[in-house]
Amino acid sequence: VYKRQTNISEDGCAFDVMYQDDRQGRLDWPLMGQHNVENALAVIAAARHVGVTPAIAIDALAEFENVKRRMEVKGVVNDITVYDDFAHHPTAIETTVKGLRAKVGDARIVAILEPRSNSMKMGTHKDGVLPALQEADDVWLFLPEEIEWEVQGDWVNVRHDLKALPREVAKTLRPGDHVLIMSNGGFGGIHAKILTTLAA
């Protein structure tokens, strides 16, 4: 069984790969978060099963380019970084926010979420959404009129107007902020609109 040693960076971007107490190598890659560490270990184990040595698998993963919409940096303006992530249910949201928190330390995280999937719109996961966002410093939740959620918490900014949302968020941002936008859809091009507003 492959396991990581305690020699791991806080954000999960670098860690030692161990097999039966023997160090197989160190993976240093651009992905972050515990879920990606576990995915890497599973890939290394599967590769070994078909004859690929752990050293070769580790080297290959170090060259891996992440897929689109997984903590993808959409732009940086005035030292404010805007990310796009496909996270759209509480487990993925929590892992994504925690991964970013580990990467940025005490820097401010502004999370913006669009509950777009059918299960989210129906409210199936609504009770898990706010706890999943606890690591964020500021939370914006876009709820179209057809989504009838009761949201508790004065630390959550609920908005129903997607057109005004980018401007409202941009007004609250300051240098050093990390803006994490989560949706499984295009979210009305909010990423570009926030970056354009910041640049102006």
Side-chain angles (χ1 to χ4, degrees):
V1 175
Y2 283 90
K3 60 182 180 180
R4 62 173 172 81
Q5 205 178 33
T6 52
N7 187 16
I8 181 170
S9 62
E10 278 191 47
D11 57 9
C13 291
F15 56 94
D16 286 344
V17 177
M18 304 294 291
Y19 179 70
Q20 296 178 346
D21 296 325
D22 290 325
R23 184 178 180 276
Q24 303 297 301
R26 182 165 183 81
L27 178 55
D28 191 343
W29 65 341
L31 277 68
M32 69 175 96
Q34 179 62 33
H35 60 299
N36 283 319
V37 171
E38 291 168 7
N39 287 342
L41 295 175
V43 166
I44 294 166
R48 182 178 180 274
H49 183 69
V50 296
V52 178
T53 66
I56 291 173
I58 291 167
D59 286 346
L61 284 170
E63 300 291 321
F64 179 73
E65 289 188 23
N66 201 11
V67 296
K68 294 281 188 187
R69 308 215 55 214
R70 292 292 184 205
M71 289 303 293
E72 180 184 358
V73 175
K74 299 301 279 186
V76 181
V77 175
N78 302 328
D79 195 30
I80 298 167
T81 307
V82 176
Y83 304 84
D84 179 27
D85 197 274
F86 193 74
H88 62 282
H89 60 83
T91 304
I93 292 166
E94 182 175 14
T95 310
T96 300
V97 176
K98 282 185 174 179
L100 183 57
R101 172 58 66 209
K103 182 178 180 67
V104 305
D106 293 333
R108 205 165 77 104
I109 295 175
V110 177
I112 308 171
L113 176 66
E114 176 190 33
R116 186 179 172 94
S117 69
N118 288 332
S119 57
M120 285 284 265
K121 285 179 180 177
M122 292 186 313
T124 306
H125 302 295
K126 73 177 181 180
D127 292 338
V129 169
L130 295 186
L133 292 163
Q134 289 293 326
E135 292 282 337
D137 299 288
D138 196 12
V139 174
W140 295 77
L141 185 59
F142 170 63
L143 295 178
E145 296 297 340
E146 66 269 16
I147 299 180
E148 298 177 4
W149 285 14
E150 297 257 344
V151 178
Q152 303 293 326
D154 54 3
W155 58 284
V156 180
N157 303 287
V158 177
R159 295 295 183 270
H160 304 287
D161 182 1
L162 183 56
K163 198 175 224 183
L165 184 58
R167 287 189 309 275
E168 287 188 68
V169 172
K171 285 180 192 174
T172 70
L173 300 176
R174 50 188 186 248
D177 282 355
H178 295 266
V179 183
L180 175 57
I181 299 171
M182 294 171 283
S183 172
N184 67 344
F187 207 162
I190 191 172
H191 320 78
K193 290 174 182 174
I194 288 175
L195 288 165
T196 300
T197 303
L198 291 172

